[in-house]
Amino acid sequence: MLCGVDGAALPFLDSCVLSSKNWNIVGTACGSTQLVFNAVDFVEKYACNDTVVLPCIVINLKENNDSSMHVSWKRQGQVFFSFSGPEQQTYRHESVPSANFLSKMDLSKGVASLQLKNAEATDGNYSCEVTELNREGETKMELRTRMERQFDLIQSIVISALLVFIIALCWAQLGVIALKCETVRKKKKHITVACSIFTVIAVVAVVLFIQDGSISMNQIGLAFTILPAGMLMVLQYSIFKMVLDDLTHKGYALMGFQVVGYIVAVVGFALSVSACPSVLLSVVIAGLVVMAVADLLALVYVYSCSRMKDHQTPRKAVEEPLNDTKGVMLE
C-alpha cells in the first residue's frame, strides 16, 4: 500500500508496497509549463501479488480532459505502454499484454497509474511521462521484488520433520525384518531399494521446501514431500507380505489408516499450492500425522508378527525330522 506524506493510505495502490522515504513533488510551481507529480522513489512487489500497480499521479492538470493528454510508460528507457488522447489509442508491448490504466475514468483527474500482471512486471527502472497540451512532466521509480514465502516456515519445518519420521519408521521396519525374520532376508532387497529411492526424494523435497527462494521451487518441494508418499503404502503392503503369509484384518486396518492420511495430505497440498500465502498447510500436517501414527503402529505390528514367525520357524524345523523318523519306524 502506498502512503502520502501525512501517512494517509492510498487504497487504489494496494497491490504493491511503497518503500520510499516519502512522497516527493516532481516539477516546478503550479502555473509553470511543468506538470507536477506525487512521486515515489521505489515500489516493492510481493511474489504472492497477482498484479502490480506503478503509481503516476499528476496534481496540477488544467484541462482535466484525457483527450488533451498523452501518457508514455517506459522500462529501462524503452516505451512499453502509451496512450494518445486525441486519437484515444493505446499501445502496449507484446511483453505486457495485461498492462492498462488502473482507472481510465480517473485519467482526466491526473491518475495515470499503470496496472499489470506480476509476472510481466520485471524489476528495473520505470518512468511515466505525461503531456497536457503544451505542458509535460516525468516521474521515475524503481520496481523491486521483495522475497516472500508462500508457506509458513514453522509449518514447513513440521512437515519436513514428519516426513523424516515416516522414513525412519520405514527403515525401522526393514531393520526388524532383517534381525528377526531369517527366512525373508532374500526377499527384502527390492523393498530396500524402494525405500532408498524414497529417502533420496525426501531429501530433495526438504531442501526445496525449506529454502528461501522462488515460490515455484517451494511448491515443487511440497509436491515432492506429499505425492511420493504414496510409495509408502506400496512398501507397507510389501513389508506385511514378507512377515505374514496372509494379511490379517489388523494389517488391512493399518493400510486403510495410511490411505486416509495420504488422501488428507494430498487434499491439503492441492489447497495450499493454490493459495498465496498459504494458510492451509495445517491440513497437510494433519494428513502426515495420521500417516506417521499408522506407520508407528505398523512397526509395532511387524515386530510382534516377526517374533511369532521367529518362534514358529525353529519348531517347524524340529518337527519335520521327527515326522521323517516316525515314517521310517512305521516302515
Side-chain angles (χ1 to χ4, degrees):
M1 182 175 291
L2 299 180
C3 301
V5 175
D6 57 358
L10 300 179
F12 53 80
L13 297 176
D14 61 354
S15 65
C16 346
V17 176
L18 170 67
S19 298
S20 59
K21 296 179 181 177
N22 52 40
W23 286 84
N24 303 309
I25 303 301
V26 176
T28 59
C30 299
S32 71
T33 58
Q34 286 280 8
L35 295 179
V36 181
F37 294 80
N38 274 340
V40 299
D41 293 329
F42 60 89
V43 174
E44 288 185 338
K45 69 170 183 173
Y46 292 101
C48 284
N49 289 135
D50 292 327
T51 59
V52 172
V53 173
L54 301 172
C56 181
I57 304 172
V58 184
I59 63 175
N60 65 333
L61 288 181
K62 287 185 177 180
E63 298 296 321
N64 295 112
N65 186 345
D66 61 10
S67 296
S68 62
M69 297 175 63
H70 292 268
V71 180
S72 178
W73 274 95
K74 297 180 180 180
R75 177 169 57 195
Q76 305 298 117
Q78 301 295 320
V79 176
F80 67 92
F81 180 90
S82 64
F83 170 77
S84 177
E87 294 83 14
Q88 292 292 305
Q89 291 183 349
T90 300
Y91 161 79
R92 58 178 59 83
H93 192 269
E94 59 182 10
S95 63
V96 287
S98 68
N100 215 337
F101 287 118
L102 180 64
S103 174
K104 179 64 166 55
M105 294 181 60
D106 291 331
L107 180 59
S108 60
K109 302 175 184 178
V111 181
S113 301
L114 195 68
Q115 177 175 278
L116 63 163
K117 289 183 178 180
N118 197 328
E120 299 170 8
T122 57
D123 292 359
N125 296 315
Y126 289 76
S127 65
C128 173
E129 298 177 0
V130 179
T131 302
E132 184 192 37
L133 297 180
N134 64 337
R135 300 194 308 154
E136 62 182 9
E138 180 183 31
T139 181
K140 298 180 180 181
M141 71 210 70
E142 180 186 1
L143 179 63
R144 304 175 181 175
T145 298
R146 184 171 180 177
M147 299 306 297
E148 181 185 26
R149 292 187 62 88
Q150 180 182 5
F151 307 118
D152 179 74
L153 180 59
I154 301 301
Q155 290 183 324
S156 299
I157 293 174
V158 171
I159 289 174
S160 300
L162 286 171
L163 180 63
V164 171
F165 181 62
I166 289 172
I167 292 173
L169 290 175
C170 177
W171 283 108
Q173 291 186 53
L174 289 177
V176 168
I177 292 173
L179 292 174
K180 296 292 182 180
C181 302
E182 298 292 336
T183 58
V184 295
R185 278 187 175 179
K186 296 182 296 182
K187 304 177 184 179
K188 70 182 179 67
K189 183 177 180 180
H190 65 287
I191 297 182
T192 303
V193 172
C195 199
S196 299
I197 293 174
F198 184 75
T199 302
V200 172
I201 294 175
V203 171
V204 174
V206 170
V207 171
L208 294 175
F209 187 44
I210 295 294
Q211 69 174 353
D212 287 326
S214 67
I215 287 179
S216 59
M217 288 295 100
N218 294 149
Q219 290 177 341
I220 292 174
L222 181 60
F224 275 21
T225 300
I226 304 303
L227 301 182
M231 291 173 56
L232 288 176
M233 292 180 287
V234 178
L235 288 174
Q236 191 62 74
Y237 179 78
S238 300
I239 290 173
F240 282 163
K241 293 296 290 182
M242 288 174 66
V243 296
L244 294 170
D245 294 329
D246 295 313
L247 202 59
T248 64
H249 292 298
K250 291 181 180 179
Y252 282 117
L254 290 173
M255 291 293 301
F257 202 21
Q258 278 191 337
V259 171
V260 170
Y262 182 69
I263 292 175
V264 172
V266 170
V267 170
F269 164 75
L271 295 175
S272 297
V273 295
S274 61
C276 187
S278 176
V279 293
L280 296 170
L281 277 184
S282 56
V283 180
V284 177
I285 293 174
L288 291 179
V289 166
V290 172
M291 293 187 71
V293 172
D295 283 337
L296 183 60
L297 294 175
L299 175 61
V300 175
Y301 181 62
V302 167
Y303 179 77
S304 62
C305 291
S306 63
R307 288 192 63 186
M308 292 174 57
K309 195 163 187 176
D310 244 11
H311 292 154
Q312 291 173 357
T313 301
R315 181 179 176 183
K316 185 177 180 181
V318 171
E319 288 177 349
E320 286 180 353
L322 289 176
N323 289 337
D324 291 341
T325 304
K326 289 179 180 179
V328 172
M329 292 178 63
L330 290 174
E331 290 177 359

